[in-house]
Amino acid sequence: MKSNKGVLIIIILIILNLLFGGVLFYIITVIEAPDIDTSIKILELNEEEIIIEIRININNPNFFSIIIEDFQIECTTEEGLEFGNMQIIGGEVAGSSNSTFINNGNFSFNNYDFEPIINKISGKIGFNFFGIIHKIVPINITIISQLGDIISNITPPDININIEISEVVENGISLLGEIIVFNPNNFQILMDDILLNVETELNKNVGNFEIISGNINPNSYNNFSINGNLSYETLNADKIKINLKAKVGANIAGFKKIINISSTTKFDIPDIQELLLINGTMDFSISGEFKLKIDGILTNVGLIVYNPSEIPLQATNLVCIVSKVTNNETEILVKNNMKESTIPSKNEVVLTTEIKIPYITLIKFGNGKIFPDWLLITIEGDFSIEGTNQSIPLSFNGYIDLNLFQ
């Protein structure tokens, strides 16, 4: 009887062993490797360091839990130079679920440029089947990240250009202003190789400026002065475009990087009359000399003009008109074209012409008067800067009392 019990026990143990082996074999055959997804996110950039967030998301497709242990992240260059490492505290990932493990690291690259960074992730994954089976498997993952992506985390500076055309000078049109730059980053930037190119709407270049470089502190403003001359052709345009190009240098986490920036501003050109009269007033006066001739009055008319600007002016399309005024009624007697003339800067010139007024044109009957009350001398013309199509149309009047001849 005892031997039968022994045989039964042995048979039961064999069956259990077979069952356990079958279960073990089944577990081994159905075990799936977890899906591991990693990501690197830049949280902050400053002059001394870069703060990076590393996430490791693990999806456990098995029906039993797995254990994450001793996850280490070593960051090196392609040449094997290590500049930082991190540790992620592990934990349990339940069956048929996922968990995310996060840690932040502060790094300084010590002049390491924008080349690939090798992130070596090592750790252990433990498979735990109801406490019966516990297996530790080492894991090694290599992730190559591009530091060039950091450029997208550098916010370009905000640029505003304020300018004014102050006056017309001998060498062109004086341009004054400033470039106001705001640095929104947490690190200092250098504005260098600042160039301003000024164009008309037709893309005609009318001036170029080189601006002195300067630093802009984190989250701060800096102003860059503009001072120079544009060509006279600027006055032919209604608007000008001011194109800025510059290089922005940044010292980030121990390395230096330069990015190119550009900006365009449009500016309305003021009327030429505003420019010429900024620092003074153009003075005009009309003079006349009369000589009685057999066939009429020979009139020598003079227009005295003072140019207060810094540049010569051109007087064109000049016409002298003599009219008679009787009882507040005006009638043109004679017209005469005058020669074009140049009026030097800060100088006074006299523009002259001779006009003969026939006696017969002065006489009029039927209004109670034979001769008119006044002679009206009018000089009309355009004043401009040579080489421009903007001009100032001006008209000057002078009255002469004909009682002087009666």
Side-chain angles (χ1 to χ4, degrees):
M1 188 71 177
K2 289 183 179 179
S3 59
N4 291 335
K5 289 183 179 180
V7 172
L8 181 61
I9 292 173
I10 292 172
I11 293 172
I12 292 173
L13 290 175
I14 292 173
I15 294 172
L16 290 175
N17 188 50
L18 291 173
L19 288 174
F20 181 79
V23 171
L24 178 60
F25 178 78
Y26 172 75
I27 292 174
I28 293 173
T29 57
V30 300
I31 288 177
E32 295 184 45
D35 296 324
I36 302 176
D37 181 41
T38 63
S39 63
I40 298 177
K41 179 181 179 182
I42 296 172
L43 298 180
E44 182 182 337
L45 291 171
N46 56 55
E47 293 180 25
E48 289 77 26
E49 62 185 7
I50 178 173
I51 301 176
I52 297 176
E53 175 190 86
I54 295 185
R55 288 173 173 251
I56 298 180
N57 184 68
I58 298 180
N59 179 52
N60 179 14
N62 300 288
F63 62 88
F64 48 85
S65 64
I66 60 175
I67 305 297
I68 305 302
E69 298 177 351
D70 301 329
F71 261 53
Q72 302 285 337
I73 303 171
E74 182 184 56
C75 303
T76 67
T77 67
E78 288 185 311
E79 292 76 23
L81 176 64
E82 181 179 337
F83 58 82
N85 58 74
M86 299 170 58
Q87 182 179 7
I88 292 183
I89 299 175
E92 183 178 353
V93 183
S96 302
S97 66
N98 64 73
S99 296
T100 301
F101 304 91
I102 304 173
N103 198 8
N104 299 338
N106 298 21
F107 302 101
S108 177
F109 296 102
N110 297 320
N111 296 318
Y112 178 68
D113 204 356
F114 287 87
E115 299 176 8
I117 289 182
I118 312 301
N119 302 285
K120 298 179 179 179
I121 302 174
S122 61
K124 299 176 182 178
I125 296 180
F127 296 90
N128 186 10
F129 180 67
F130 300 118
I132 301 174
I133 301 173
H134 185 74
K135 179 66 175 176
I136 301 296
V137 178
I139 185 170
N140 291 281
I141 303 172
T142 298
I143 300 174
I144 299 177
S145 58
Q146 301 290 337
L147 267 181
D149 297 337
I150 292 178
I151 293 179
S152 62
N153 290 271
I154 301 176
T155 304
D158 297 325
I159 298 175
N160 289 298
I161 301 176
N162 295 329
I163 63 167
E164 65 174 5
I165 292 178
S166 58
E167 59 182 337
V168 179
V169 295
E170 184 177 357
N171 298 324
I173 303 169
S174 179
L175 185 71
L176 296 176
E178 61 182 359
I179 305 169
I180 305 171
V181 182
F182 175 71
N183 175 17
N185 298 286
N186 294 325
F187 45 84
Q188 186 184 77
I189 61 174
L190 168 67
M191 285 274 287
D192 197 11
D193 294 341
I194 309 171
L195 298 176
L196 289 184
N197 167 254
V198 184
E199 297 178 336
T200 67
E201 306 112 306
L202 301 177
N203 298 321
K204 171 70 176 178
N205 182 274
V206 291
N208 296 289
F209 301 84
E210 293 186 7
I211 310 300
I212 297 176
S213 304
N215 291 316
I216 305 110
N217 290 325
N219 301 298
S220 300
Y221 289 89
N222 196 4
N223 296 353
F224 299 81
S225 297
I226 304 172
N227 189 352
N229 295 331
L230 303 175
S231 71
Y232 294 135
E233 293 179 272
T234 307
L235 297 175
N236 294 335
D238 295 326
K239 292 179 179 290
I240 56 174
K241 294 184 297 182
I242 302 175
N243 304 311
L244 179 146
K245 292 184 178 180
K247 293 181 179 179
V248 175
N251 188 359
I252 311 168
F255 63 82
K256 294 181 179 179
K257 190 62 183 177
I258 295 176
I259 61 174
N260 296 317
I261 62 169
S262 62
S263 176
T264 298
T265 300
K266 291 187 177 181
F267 178 77
D268 292 328
I269 298 298
D271 185 79
I272 188 174
Q273 186 169 358
E274 298 177 23
L275 297 175
L276 294 178
L277 304 184
I278 284 176
N279 294 324
T281 303
M282 296 183 71
D283 295 328
F284 306 91
S285 62
I286 294 178
S287 63
E289 295 181 357
F290 303 93
K291 293 182 181 180
L292 299 179
K293 300 291 184 178
I294 296 176
D295 53 349
I297 302 174
L298 183 63
T299 306
N300 190 344
V301 178
L303 174 65
I304 303 172
V305 182
Y306 174 72
N307 175 14
S309 70
E310 298 288 341
I311 60 168
L313 299 178
Q314 296 293 118
T316 59
N317 304 321
L318 294 173
V319 178
C320 181
I321 305 170
V322 179
S323 306
K324 62 182 180 180
V325 181
T326 306
N327 296 330
N328 295 323
E329 294 183 1
T330 302
E331 181 182 342
I332 295 176
L333 301 178
V334 64
K335 288 184 178 182
N336 191 32
N337 293 327
M338 301 175 64
K339 292 182 179 179
E340 296 184 358
S341 181
T342 300
I343 308 163
S345 169
K346 305 291 185 181
N347 270 275
E348 181 179 271
V349 299
V350 180
L351 311 178
T352 62
T353 188
E354 281 189 350
I355 295 180
K356 184 175 287 187
I357 307 171
Y359 293 120
I360 191 64
T361 61
L362 294 173
I363 300 172
K364 187 173 184 179
F365 300 97
N367 57 3
K369 295 182 180 181
I370 297 177
F371 291 98
D373 300 323
W374 302 88
L375 279 182
L376 172 62
I377 299 177
T378 301
I379 296 179
E380 298 176 345
D382 298 323
F383 290 81
S384 64
I385 299 172
E386 187 176 2
T388 71
N389 57 20
Q390 277 204 51
S391 61
I392 307 173
L394 297 174
S395 179
F396 315 96
N397 296 317
Y399 288 88
I400 298 173
D401 189 354
L402 284 184
N403 290 325
L404 297 174
F405 301 98
Q406 299 180 14

